[in-house]
Amino acid sequence: MATHTAQLFSILTGSPDPIYRQLVDQVKRFVAGGQLAAGDELPSVREVASMLAVNPMTVSKAYNLLETERVLARRRGLGMVVAERPRATQSPPERAELLRPTLERAAREARELELDHATVLSLFTHILKEAS
């Protein structure tokens, strides 16, 4: 699972969000959305840093923050794994809040492109229906 998980990570270099925050938010979304389950092993700090071409300390900071928040747990011989915590412990409003940074970026880009609200909402609704 570690190598597959490493490929899920991505960073937006033009984002105002620091890289470690982007990684933290992605892991939280993966856990909340069920792409990562309790006990799943995450790739090593070196693997992620190498794949994303970022400083290992950045990845380490993200992992440490996730451990502090009890999203991840450190396991001897395995590295970081998703903590044993049922998905149901996060309410729908908490899971929706994880989407906020992505939607804020999309809203900022829509304003930069001078798109009206109706067009943006219509496009978002269309995209949601495609994914179903």
Side-chain angles (χ1 to χ4, degrees):
M1 178 78 180
T3 305
H4 174 69
T5 305
Q7 295 170 351
L8 293 176
F9 289 116
S10 64
I11 55 170
L12 298 172
T13 53
S15 172
D17 297 324
I19 293 170
Y20 82 90
R21 175 53 51 196
Q22 291 180 48
L23 295 174
V24 166
D25 291 345
Q26 286 177 52
V27 170
K28 287 181 176 181
R29 282 194 304 271
F30 294 153
V31 171
Q35 291 92 343
L36 287 175
D40 282 352
E41 183 180 352
L42 268 73
S44 72
V45 167
R46 285 189 188 135
E47 262 186 285
V48 176
S50 174
M51 187 198 71
L52 298 175
V54 299
N55 188 319
M57 291 302 292
T58 301
V59 180
S60 182
K61 181 176 183 175
Y63 278 13
N64 287 334
L65 184 59
L66 287 161
E67 184 180 21
T68 300
E69 294 180 11
R70 297 178 189 215
V71 175
L72 299 181
R74 197 173 304 273
R75 297 291 159 101
R76 246 178 242 208
L78 286 180
M80 298 301 273
V81 296
V82 176
E84 297 292 331
R85 178 174 118 173
R87 186 172 158 206
T89 61
Q90 281 191 313
S91 68
E94 288 172 322
R95 291 196 314 268
E97 193 59 30
L98 295 173
L99 188 58
R100 178 176 279 283
T102 302
L103 293 178
E104 286 173 345
R105 281 191 296 278
R108 187 170 39 253
E109 289 181 25
R111 284 190 295 273
E112 289 170 1
L113 293 168
E114 298 180 353
L115 295 172
D116 64 271
H117 289 108
T119 300
V120 174
L121 292 174
S122 173
L123 177 59
F124 186 62
T125 302
H126 179 75
I127 291 169
L128 282 173
K129 288 178 183 176
E130 284 178 350
S132 300

